Coordinates of all heavy atoms in Angstrom, one line a residue:
L3 N -0.9 -4.1 -5.8 CA -0.9 -3.7 -4.4 C -0.1 -2.4 -4.2 O 0.9 -2.2 -5.0 CB -0.2 -4.8 -3.6 CG -1.0 -6.1 -3.3 CD1 -0.1 -7.1 -2.6 CD2 -2.2 -5.8 -2.5
S4 N -0.5 -1.6 -3.3 CA 0.3 -0.4 -3.1 C 0.8 -0.5 -1.6 O 0.0 -0.7 -0.7 CB -0.6 0.8 -3.3 OG 0.2 1.9 -3.0
I5 N 2.0 -0.3 -1.4 CA 2.6 -0.4 -0.1 C 2.8 1.0 0.4 O 3.6 1.7 -0.2 CB 3.9 -1.2 0.0 CG1 3.7 -2.6 -0.6 CG2 4.5 -1.3 1.4 CD1 2.9 -3.5 0.2
L6 N 2.2 1.3 1.5 CA 2.3 2.6 2.1 C 3.2 2.6 3.4 O 2.7 2.7 4.4 CB 0.9 3.2 2.4 CG -0.1 3.2 1.3 CD1 -1.5 3.4 1.8 CD2 0.4 4.2 0.3
R7 N 4.5 2.4 3.2 CA 5.3 2.3 4.3 C 6.6 3.1 4.0 O 6.9 3.5 2.9 CB 5.6 0.9 4.7 CG 4.4 0.1 5.0 CD 4.7 -1.3 5.3 NE 5.2 -2.0 4.2 CZ 6.3 -2.9 4.2 NH1 6.8 -3.1 5.4 NH2 6.7 -3.5 3.2
Q8 N 7.4 3.2 5.0 CA 8.7 3.9 4.8 C 9.5 2.9 4.0 O 9.5 1.7 4.1 CB 9.4 4.1 6.1 CG 8.7 5.1 7.0 CD 8.6 6.5 6.3 OE1 9.4 6.9 5.7 NE2 7.4 7.1 6.5
R9 N 10.4 3.5 3.1 CA 11.2 2.8 2.2 C 12.0 1.7 2.9 O 12.2 0.6 2.4 CB 12.1 3.7 1.4 CG 12.8 3.0 0.2 CD 13.4 4.0 -0.8 NE 12.5 5.0 -1.2 CZ 11.5 4.8 -2.2 NH1 11.5 3.6 -2.8 NH2 10.7 5.7 -2.6
L10 N 12.6 2.0 4.0 CA 13.4 1.0 4.7 C 12.7 -0.3 5.1 O 13.1 -1.3 4.9 CB 14.0 1.7 6.0 CG 14.9 0.8 6.8 CD1 16.1 0.3 6.1 CD2 15.3 1.5 8.1
L11 N 11.4 -0.1 5.6 CA 10.6 -1.3 5.9 C 10.3 -2.0 4.7 O 10.3 -3.3 4.7 CB 9.4 -0.8 6.6 CG 9.5 -0.2 8.0 CD1 8.2 0.4 8.4 CD2 10.1 -1.1 8.9
C12 N 10.0 -1.4 3.6 CA 9.7 -2.1 2.3 C 10.9 -2.9 1.8 O 10.6 -3.9 1.2 CB 9.2 -1.1 1.2 SG 8.4 -1.8 -0.1
I13 N 12.0 -2.4 1.9 CA 13.2 -3.2 1.4 C 13.3 -4.5 2.2 O 13.6 -5.5 1.7 CB 14.5 -2.3 1.6 CG1 14.4 -1.2 0.6 CG2 15.7 -3.2 1.4 CD1 15.6 -0.2 0.9
R14 N 12.9 -4.5 3.4 CA 13.0 -5.7 4.3 C 11.9 -6.7 4.0 O 12.1 -7.9 4.0 CB 13.1 -5.2 5.7 CG 13.3 -6.4 6.7 CD 13.4 -6.0 8.1 NE 12.1 -5.5 8.5 CZ 11.8 -4.6 9.4 NH1 12.9 -4.0 10.0 NH2 10.6 -4.3 9.7
D15 N 10.6 -6.1 3.9 CA 9.4 -7.0 3.8 C 8.5 -6.4 2.7 O 8.0 -5.3 2.9 CB 8.6 -7.1 5.1 CG 9.4 -7.6 6.2 OD1 10.0 -8.7 5.9 OD2 9.2 -7.2 7.3
S16 N 8.4 -7.1 1.6 CA 7.5 -6.7 0.5 C 6.6 -7.8 0.0 O 7.0 -8.9 0.1 CB 8.3 -6.1 -0.7 OG 9.0 -5.0 -0.4
I17 N 5.4 -7.4 -0.3 CA 4.4 -8.4 -0.9 C 4.7 -8.5 -2.4 O 4.9 -7.5 -3.0 CB 3.0 -7.9 -0.7 CG1 2.7 -7.9 0.9 CG2 2.0 -8.8 -1.3 CD1 1.4 -7.4 1.3
T18 N 4.8 -9.7 -2.9 CA 5.1 -10.0 -4.3 C 4.2 -9.1 -5.2 O 3.0 -8.9 -5.0 CB 4.8 -11.4 -4.7 OG1 5.7 -12.2 -3.8 CG2 5.2 -11.7 -6.1
A19 N 4.8 -8.5 -6.2 CA 4.1 -7.6 -7.2 C 3.5 -6.4 -6.6 O 2.6 -5.8 -7.2 CB 3.1 -8.4 -7.9
S20 N 4.1 -5.9 -5.6 CA 3.5 -4.6 -4.9 C 4.4 -3.5 -5.4 O 5.5 -3.6 -5.9 CB 3.6 -4.7 -3.4 OG 4.9 -4.8 -3.0
I21 N 3.9 -2.3 -5.3 CA 4.5 -1.0 -5.6 C 4.6 -0.2 -4.3 O 3.7 -0.1 -3.6 CB 3.7 -0.2 -6.6 CG1 3.5 -0.9 -7.9 CG2 4.3 1.2 -6.8 CD1 2.4 -0.2 -8.8
N22 N 5.9 0.2 -4.0 CA 6.1 0.9 -2.7 C 5.9 2.4 -3.1 O 6.7 3.0 -3.8 CB 7.5 0.7 -2.2 CG 7.8 1.4 -1.0 OD1 6.9 1.7 -0.1 ND2 9.0 1.9 -0.8
I23 N 4.9 3.0 -2.4 CA 4.7 4.5 -2.5 C 4.6 5.0 -1.1 O 3.5 4.7 -0.5 CB 3.5 4.8 -3.4 CG1 3.6 4.2 -4.8 CG2 3.3 6.3 -3.4 CD1 2.4 4.5 -5.7
P24 N 5.5 5.7 -0.6 CA 5.4 6.3 0.7 C 4.3 7.3 0.8 O 3.9 7.9 -0.2 CB 6.7 7.0 0.9 CG 7.7 6.4 0.0 CD 6.8 5.9 -1.2
V25 N 3.5 7.3 1.9 CA 2.3 8.1 2.1 C 2.6 9.6 1.7 O 1.8 10.2 1.0 CB 1.9 8.0 3.5 CG1 0.7 9.0 3.8 CG2 1.4 6.6 3.9
K26 N 3.8 10.1 2.0 CA 4.1 11.5 1.7 C 4.1 11.8 0.1 O 4.0 12.9 -0.2 CB 5.4 11.9 2.4 CG 6.7 11.3 1.9 CD 7.9 11.8 2.6 CE 9.1 11.1 2.2 NZ 9.5 11.4 0.8
D27 N 4.4 10.8 -0.6 CA 4.5 10.9 -2.1 C 3.2 10.4 -2.8 O 3.1 10.4 -4.0 CB 5.5 10.0 -2.6 CG 6.9 10.5 -2.1 OD1 7.1 11.6 -1.7 OD2 7.8 9.6 -2.0
L28 N 2.2 10.1 -2.1 CA 1.0 9.4 -2.7 C 0.2 10.4 -3.7 O 0.0 9.9 -4.8 CB 0.0 9.0 -1.6 CG -1.1 8.0 -2.0 CD1 -0.5 6.8 -2.7 CD2 -1.9 7.7 -0.8
S29 N 0.0 11.6 -3.4 CA -0.7 12.5 -4.3 C 0.2 12.7 -5.5 O -0.4 12.6 -6.7 CB -1.0 13.9 -3.6 OG -1.9 13.8 -2.7
R30 N 1.4 12.9 -5.4 CA 2.3 13.1 -6.6 C 2.4 11.9 -7.5 O 2.5 12.0 -8.7 CB 3.7 13.5 -6.0 CG 4.7 13.8 -7.1 CD 6.0 14.3 -6.6 NE 6.7 13.5 -5.6 CZ 7.4 12.4 -5.9 NH1 7.6 12.1 -7.3 NH2 7.9 11.7 -5.1
R31 N 2.3 10.7 -6.9 CA 2.5 9.4 -7.6 C 1.2 8.7 -7.9 O 1.3 7.6 -8.3 CB 3.5 8.5 -6.9 CG 4.9 9.2 -6.9 CD 5.9 8.3 -6.2 NE 6.0 7.0 -6.8 CZ 6.6 6.0 -6.2 NH1 7.3 6.1 -5.1 NH2 6.7 4.8 -6.8
S32 N 0.0 9.3 -7.6 CA -1.2 8.6 -7.8 C -1.4 8.2 -9.2 O -2.1 7.3 -9.5 CB -2.4 9.5 -7.3 OG -2.5 10.6 -8.1
N33 N -0.8 8.9 -10.2 CA -0.9 8.5 -11.6 C -0.4 7.0 -11.9 O -0.9 6.4 -12.8 CB -0.2 9.5 -12.5 CG 1.3 9.6 -12.3 OD1 1.7 9.5 -11.1 ND2 2.1 9.6 -13.3
E34 N 0.5 6.6 -11.0 CA 1.0 5.3 -11.2 C 0.0 4.2 -10.9 O 0.1 3.0 -11.3 CB 2.2 5.0 -10.3 CG 3.4 5.9 -10.6 CD 4.6 5.7 -9.6 OE1 4.8 4.6 -9.2 OE2 5.2 6.7 -9.3
L35 N -1.0 4.6 -10.1 CA -2.1 3.7 -9.7 C -3.4 3.9 -10.6 O -4.1 2.9 -10.7 CB -2.5 3.9 -8.2 CG -1.3 3.8 -7.2 CD1 -1.7 4.2 -5.9 CD2 -0.7 2.4 -7.3
S36 N -3.5 5.1 -11.1 CA -4.8 5.3 -11.8 C -4.8 4.7 -13.2 O -5.9 4.5 -13.7 CB -5.0 6.8 -12.0 OG -3.9 7.3 -12.7
S37 N -3.7 4.2 -13.7 CA -3.7 3.6 -15.0 C -4.0 2.1 -14.9 O -4.2 1.4 -16.0 CB -2.3 3.7 -15.6 OG -1.3 3.1 -14.9
T38 N -4.2 1.5 -13.8 CA -4.5 0.1 -13.7 C -6.0 -0.2 -13.7 O -6.8 0.7 -13.3 CB -3.9 -0.5 -12.4 OG1 -4.1 -1.9 -12.4 CG2 -4.5 0.1 -11.1
E39 N -6.3 -1.4 -14.2 CA -7.7 -1.8 -14.3 C -8.1 -2.6 -13.0 O -9.2 -3.0 -12.8 CB -8.0 -2.6 -15.5 CG -7.8 -1.9 -16.8 CD -8.9 -0.9 -17.0 OE1 -10.0 -1.2 -16.6 OE2 -8.6 0.2 -17.4
K40 N -7.0 -2.9 -12.2 CA -7.2 -3.8 -11.0 C -7.5 -2.9 -9.8 O -7.3 -1.8 -9.7 CB -5.9 -4.6 -10.8 CG -5.4 -5.4 -11.9 CD -4.1 -6.1 -11.7 CE -3.8 -7.0 -12.8 NZ -2.5 -7.6 -12.6
S41 N -8.0 -3.7 -8.8 CA -8.3 -3.0 -7.5 C -6.9 -2.6 -6.9 O -5.9 -3.3 -7.0 CB -9.0 -3.9 -6.5 OG -10.2 -4.2 -7.0
I42 N -6.9 -1.5 -6.1 CA -5.7 -1.1 -5.4 C -5.9 -1.5 -4.0 O -6.9 -1.2 -3.3 CB -5.6 0.5 -5.4 CG1 -5.6 1.0 -6.9 CG2 -4.4 0.9 -4.6 CD1 -4.4 0.5 -7.8
V43 N -5.0 -2.3 -3.5 CA -4.9 -2.7 -2.1 C -3.9 -2.0 -1.3 O -2.7 -2.0 -1.6 CB -4.7 -4.3 -2.0 CG1 -4.7 -4.7 -0.6 CG2 -5.7 -5.0 -2.8
L44 N -4.3 -1.2 -0.4 CA -3.4 -0.4 0.5 C -2.9 -1.2 1.6 O -3.6 -1.7 2.3 CB -4.1 0.9 0.9 CG -4.7 1.8 -0.2 CD1 -5.4 3.0 0.3 CD2 -3.6 2.3 -1.2
V45 N -1.6 -1.1 1.8 CA -0.9 -1.9 2.9 C 0.0 -0.9 3.6 O 0.9 -0.3 3.0 CB -0.2 -3.1 2.4 CG1 0.4 -3.9 3.5 CG2 -1.0 -3.9 1.5
C46 N -0.2 -0.8 4.9 CA 0.8 -0.1 5.7 C 1.3 -1.1 6.8 O 1.0 -2.3 6.8 CB 0.1 1.2 6.3 SG -1.2 0.8 7.5
E47 N 1.9 -0.6 7.8 CA 2.5 -1.5 8.8 C 1.5 -2.2 9.6 O 1.6 -3.4 9.8 CB 3.5 -0.6 9.7 CG 4.4 -1.5 10.6 CD 5.4 -2.3 9.8 OE1 5.7 -2.0 8.6 OE2 6.0 -3.2 10.4
T48 N 0.5 -1.4 10.1 CA -0.4 -2.0 11.0 C -1.9 -1.8 10.5 O -2.8 -2.3 11.1 CB -0.4 -1.3 12.4 OG1 -0.7 0.1 12.2 CG2 0.9 -1.5 13.0
G49 N -2.2 -1.1 9.4 CA -3.5 -0.9 8.9 C -4.1 0.4 9.3 O -5.2 0.8 8.9
S50 N -3.3 1.2 10.1 CA -3.8 2.5 10.6 C -3.6 3.6 9.7 O -4.4 4.6 9.7 CB -3.2 2.8 11.9 OG -1.8 2.9 11.9
S51 N -2.6 3.6 8.8 CA -2.4 4.7 7.8 C -3.2 4.5 6.5 O -3.4 5.5 5.8 CB -0.9 4.8 7.5 OG -0.2 5.0 8.7
S52 N -3.6 3.3 6.2 CA -4.2 3.1 4.9 C -5.5 3.8 4.7 O -5.8 4.3 3.6 CB -4.4 1.6 4.8 OG -3.1 1.0 4.7
P53 N -6.4 4.0 5.7 CA -7.6 4.7 5.5 C -7.4 6.2 5.0 O -8.0 6.6 4.1 CB -8.4 4.6 6.8 CG -7.8 3.4 7.4 CD -6.4 3.3 7.0
N54 N -6.4 6.8 5.6 CA -6.2 8.2 5.2 C -5.6 8.2 3.9 O -5.9 9.1 3.0 CB -5.1 8.8 6.1 CG -5.7 9.1 7.5 OD1 -6.9 9.2 7.6 ND2 -4.8 9.2 8.5
A55 N -4.7 7.3 3.5 CA -4.2 7.2 2.1 C -5.4 6.9 1.1 O -5.3 7.5 0.0 CB -3.2 6.0 2.0
G56 N -6.3 6.1 1.5 CA -7.4 5.8 0.7 C -8.3 7.1 0.4 O -8.7 7.3 -0.8
E57 N -8.4 8.0 1.4 CA -9.1 9.2 1.1 C -8.3 10.0 0.2 O -8.9 10.7 -0.7 CB -9.3 10.0 2.5 CG -10.2 9.3 3.4 CD -11.7 9.4 3.0 OE1 -12.0 10.3 2.3 OE2 -12.3 8.4 3.2
T58 N -7.1 10.1 0.2 CA -6.2 10.8 -0.7 C -6.4 10.3 -2.1 O -6.7 11.1 -3.0 CB -4.7 10.7 -0.3 OG1 -4.5 11.2 0.9 CG2 -3.8 11.5 -1.3
L59 N -6.5 9.0 -2.3 CA -6.6 8.5 -3.6 C -8.0 8.7 -4.1 O -8.3 9.0 -5.3 CB -6.3 6.9 -3.6 CG -4.9 6.6 -3.4 CD1 -4.7 5.1 -3.3 CD2 -4.0 7.1 -4.4
L60 N -9.0 8.6 -3.3 CA -10.4 9.0 -3.7 C -10.5 10.4 -4.2 O -11.1 10.7 -5.3 CB -11.4 8.8 -2.5 CG -11.8 7.3 -2.2 CD1 -12.6 7.4 -0.9 CD2 -12.5 6.7 -3.3
K61 N -9.8 11.3 -3.6 CA -9.8 12.7 -4.1 C -9.0 12.8 -5.4 O -9.3 13.7 -6.2 CB -9.1 13.6 -3.0 CG -9.9 13.8 -1.8 CD -9.1 14.6 -0.8 CE -9.9 14.6 0.6 NZ -9.1 15.3 1.6
E62 N -8.1 11.9 -5.7 CA -7.4 11.9 -6.9 C -8.2 11.1 -8.0 O -7.7 11.0 -9.1 CB -6.1 11.2 -6.8 CG -5.1 12.0 -5.9 CD -4.6 13.3 -6.4 OE1 -4.5 13.3 -7.6 OE2 -4.3 14.2 -5.6
G63 N -9.4 10.6 -7.7 CA -10.3 10.0 -8.6 C -10.1 8.5 -8.8 O -10.7 7.8 -9.6
I64 N -9.4 7.9 -7.9 CA -9.2 6.4 -7.9 C -10.3 5.8 -6.9 O -10.3 6.1 -5.8 CB -7.7 6.0 -7.4 CG1 -6.7 6.6 -8.4 CG2 -7.6 4.5 -7.4 CD1 -5.3 6.5 -7.9
K65 N -11.1 5.0 -7.5 CA -12.3 4.5 -6.7 C -12.2 3.1 -6.2 O -12.7 2.8 -5.1 CB -13.5 4.6 -7.7 CG -13.8 6.0 -8.2 CD -14.2 7.0 -7.2 CE -14.5 8.3 -7.9 NZ -14.2 9.4 -7.1
D66 N -11.5 2.2 -6.9 CA -11.5 0.8 -6.5 C -10.3 0.5 -5.6 O -9.3 0.1 -6.0 CB -11.3 -0.1 -7.8 CG -11.7 -1.5 -7.5 OD1 -12.1 -1.9 -6.3 OD2 -11.5 -2.3 -8.4
I67 N -10.6 0.8 -4.3 CA -9.6 0.8 -3.3 C -10.0 -0.2 -2.2 O -11.1 -0.2 -1.7 CB -9.3 2.2 -2.6 CG1 -8.9 3.2 -3.7 CG2 -8.3 2.1 -1.5 CD1 -9.0 4.6 -3.2
K68 N -9.1 -1.1 -1.8 CA -9.2 -2.0 -0.7 C -8.2 -1.7 0.3 O -7.1 -1.1 0.0 CB -9.1 -3.4 -1.2 CG -9.9 -3.8 -2.4 CD -11.3 -3.9 -2.1 CE -12.0 -4.5 -3.3 NZ -13.1 -3.7 -3.9
I69 N -8.3 -2.0 1.6 CA -7.4 -1.8 2.6 C -7.1 -3.2 3.3 O -8.0 -3.9 3.7 CB -7.9 -0.8 3.7 CG1 -8.0 0.5 3.0 CG2 -6.9 -0.8 4.9 CD1 -8.6 1.6 3.9
L70 N -5.8 -3.6 3.4 CA -5.4 -4.8 4.0 C -5.5 -4.6 5.6 O -4.7 -3.9 6.2 CB -4.0 -5.2 3.6 CG -3.5 -6.5 4.3 CD1 -4.3 -7.7 3.7 CD2 -2.1 -6.7 3.9
K71 N -6.6 -5.2 6.1 CA -6.8 -5.1 7.6 C -5.6 -5.7 8.3 O -5.2 -6.8 8.1 CB -8.0 -5.9 7.9 CG -8.5 -5.7 9.4 CD -9.7 -6.4 9.7 CE -10.1 -6.4 11.1 NZ -11.4 -7.0 11.4
G72 N -5.0 -4.9 9.3 CA -3.9 -5.4 10.1 C -2.6 -5.1 9.4 O -1.6 -5.3 10.0
G73 N -2.6 -4.7 8.2 CA -1.3 -4.2 7.5 C -0.4 -5.4 7.3 O -0.7 -6.6 7.4
I74 N 0.8 -5.0 7.0 CA 1.9 -6.0 6.7 C 2.2 -6.9 8.0 O 2.5 -8.1 7.8 CB 3.1 -5.4 6.2 CG1 4.1 -6.4 5.5 CG2 3.9 -4.6 7.3 CD1 3.6 -6.9 4.2
N75 N 1.9 -6.4 9.2 CA 2.2 -7.2 10.3 C 1.2 -8.4 10.4 O 1.7 -9.5 10.6 CB 1.9 -6.3 11.6 CG 3.0 -5.4 11.9 OD1 4.1 -5.5 11.3 ND2 2.8 -4.4 12.7
E76 N 0.0 -8.1 10.0 CA -1.0 -9.2 10.0 C -0.6 -10.3 8.9 O -0.7 -11.4 9.0 CB -2.4 -8.7 9.8 CG -3.5 -9.8 9.7 CD -3.6 -10.6 11.0 OE1 -3.3 -10.1 12.1 OE2 -4.1 -11.8 11.0
W77 N -0.2 -9.7 7.7 CA 0.2 -10.5 6.6 C 1.3 -11.5 7.1 O 1.3 -12.7 6.8 CB 0.7 -9.6 5.5 CG 1.1 -10.3 4.2 CD1 2.3 -10.8 3.9 CD2 0.3 -10.5 3.0 NE1 2.3 -11.3 2.7 CE2 1.1 -11.1 2.1 CE3 -1.1 -10.1 2.7 CZ2 0.7 -11.5 0.8 CZ3 -1.5 -10.5 1.5 CH2 -0.7 -11.1 0.5
K78 N 2.3 -11.0 7.8 CA 3.4 -11.8 8.3 C 2.9 -12.8 9.3 O 3.4 -13.9 9.3 CB 4.6 -10.9 8.8 CG 5.3 -10.1 7.8 CD 6.5 -9.4 8.3 CE 6.2 -8.4 9.3 NZ 7.4 -7.5 9.6
M79 N 2.0 -12.4 10.2 CA 1.5 -13.3 11.2 C 0.8 -14.5 10.5 O 0.8 -15.6 11.2 CB 0.6 -12.6 12.1 CG 1.4 -11.7 13.2 SD 0.3 -10.8 14.3 CE -0.5 -12.1 15.2
Q80 N 0.2 -14.3 9.4 CA -0.5 -15.3 8.7 C 0.4 -16.2 7.8 O 0.0 -17.1 7.1 CB -1.6 -14.7 7.8 CG -2.7 -14.0 8.5 CD -3.5 -14.9 9.5 OE1 -3.7 -16.1 9.2 NE2 -3.8 -14.5 10.7
N81 N 1.8 -15.9 7.9 CA 2.8 -16.6 7.1 C 2.5 -16.5 5.6 O 2.8 -17.5 4.9 CB 2.9 -18.0 7.6 CG 3.5 -18.1 9.0 OD1 4.4 -17.4 9.4 ND2 2.9 -18.9 9.9
L82 N 2.0 -15.4 5.2 CA 1.8 -15.2 3.7 C 3.2 -14.8 3.1 O 4.0 -14.3 3.8 CB 0.7 -14.2 3.5 CG -0.7 -14.7 4.0 CD1 -1.7 -13.5 4.1 CD2 -1.2 -15.9 3.2
P83 N 3.3 -15.0 1.7 CA 4.6 -14.8 1.2 C 5.1 -13.4 1.1 O 4.3 -12.5 0.8 CB 4.5 -15.4 -0.3 CG 3.0 -15.4 -0.5 CD 2.3 -15.5 0.8
L84 N 6.4 -13.2 1.3 CA 7.0 -11.9 1.2 C 8.2 -12.1 0.3 O 8.8 -13.2 0.2 CB 7.5 -11.4 2.6 CG 6.4 -11.1 3.6 CD1 7.0 -10.8 4.9 CD2 5.6 -9.8 3.1
V85 N 8.7 -11.0 -0.3 CA 10.0 -11.1 -1.1 C 11.0 -10.3 -0.4 O 10.7 -9.4 0.4 CB 9.8 -10.7 -2.6 CG1 8.9 -11.6 -3.3 CG2 9.2 -9.3 -2.6

């Protein structure tokens, strides 16, 4: 999972086994995601920033991208685990 949120928010609420990459750093740090064989799931606060981040990753050559609908807010409303 890739978390696309501000660092302060990520410290408070993170999904297990996720990587926090702020949107502003995504192009520079895309190599951290390109080496994985797994799907990349983009998570932002509400789901509204993830599509733009997905476009950035597509331009960087990363193809297997998913977006968590509703973002971390929906994750929390569903009472799914956070660390």
Side-chain angles (χ1 to χ4, degrees):
L3 290 173
S4 177
I5 304 293
L6 304 169
R7 301 181 294 139
Q8 297 299 322
R9 190 166 306 281
L10 179 62
L11 293 173
C12 190
I13 291 170
R14 189 179 65 211
D15 296 320
S16 292
I17 297 173
T18 303
S20 64
I21 300 169
N22 178 35
I23 302 178
V25 175
K26 66 181 180 65
D27 297 335
L28 195 55
S29 288
R30 181 175 56 81
R31 294 180 58 190
S32 65
N33 62 319
E34 294 175 40
L35 304 173
S36 63
S37 62
T38 183
E39 297 291 323
K40 298 177 182 179
S41 297
I42 303 298
V43 180
L44 301 175
V45 181
C46 63
E47 193 70 16
T48 63
S50 61
S51 298
S52 294
N54 291 337
E57 290 295 322
T58 298
L59 292 177
L60 285 172
K61 290 177 186 173
E62 297 289 331
I64 300 171
K65 306 289 185 215
D66 194 4
I67 301 168
K68 312 285 190 240
I69 295 173
L70 182 64
K71 185 177 178 181
I74 196 74
N75 287 345
E76 181 64 25
W77 185 274
K78 290 190 296 190
M79 286 180 60
Q80 297 296 324
N81 292 315
L82 295 168
L84 295 168
V85 292

